[in-house]
């Protein structure tokens, strides 16, 4: 699959998430005052799905910027959907700590011209 095809799929999924959140609110399936928290949840899932698809098709790193962004957006969306408004900053803190641990634990890449 081409990289541009994956970009088209990603853009389509974002538009789909926006349309789905407005559709659910317009049909009183979700309350209008919470449509944006559902949108964040849908966008988080979209980013994670895109990261997984890019990993499978292009062999890009799975735990990259899109995956991390998706987890953060998804956690914030969940926090507001499930009335955890005071907890979402802690979710960001935990995700940040996990990213730091991953960075420390990952094997070091050698730079050009560096001797060992």
């Amino acid at each position: 699959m081409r990289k541009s095809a994956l970009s088209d799929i990603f853009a389509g999924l974002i538009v789909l998430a926006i349309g789905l959140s407005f559709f659910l609110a317009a049909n009183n399936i979700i309350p209008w005052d919470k449509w944006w928290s559902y949108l964040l949840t849908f966008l988080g899932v979209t980013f994670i799905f895109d990261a997984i698809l890019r990993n499978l098709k292009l062999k890009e790193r799975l735990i990259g910027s899109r995956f991390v962004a998706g987890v953060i957006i998804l956690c914030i969306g969940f926090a507001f959907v499930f009335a955890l408004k005071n907890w979402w900053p802690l979710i960001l803190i935990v995700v940040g700590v996990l990213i730091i641990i991953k960075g420390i634990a990952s094997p070091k890449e050698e730079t050009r011209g560096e001797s060992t």
Side-chain angles (χ1 to χ4, degrees):
M1 188 174 286
R2 304 178 335 270
K3 196 170 194 169
S4 63
L6 290 174
S7 296
D8 291 343
I9 292 170
F10 181 66
L13 287 172
I14 289 176
V15 173
L16 180 70
I18 294 168
L20 182 61
S21 62
F22 279 125
F23 176 80
L24 292 174
N27 288 292
N28 295 320
I29 297 170
I30 61 173
W32 267 109
D33 60 338
K34 282 193 162 192
W35 74 268
W36 60 271
S37 57
Y38 285 87
L39 175 62
L40 286 178
T41 303
F42 298 149
L43 289 176
V45 170
T46 299
F47 273 79
I48 292 169
F49 178 75
D50 183 62
I52 292 169
L53 192 60
R54 286 176 183 274
N55 176 262
L56 293 173
K57 297 296 182 183
L58 300 177
K59 305 299 182 214
E60 290 182 2
R61 287 188 354 221
L62 176 61
I63 310 297
S65 59
R66 287 192 188 212
F67 186 83
V68 171
V71 169
I72 291 170
I73 294 169
L74 181 66
C75 288
I76 294 171
F78 273 165
F80 284 97
V81 167
F82 296 112
L84 305 171
K85 294 175 186 161
N86 297 333
W87 289 90
W88 73 267
L90 291 177
I91 294 169
L92 290 177
I93 292 169
V94 169
V95 171
V97 168
L98 291 174
I99 293 169
I100 292 169
I101 291 171
K102 178 191 171 287
I104 292 170
S106 66
K108 305 282 187 258
E109 294 180 18
E110 290 189 29
T111 59
R112 292 183 191 170
E114 182 180 312
S115 61
T116 54

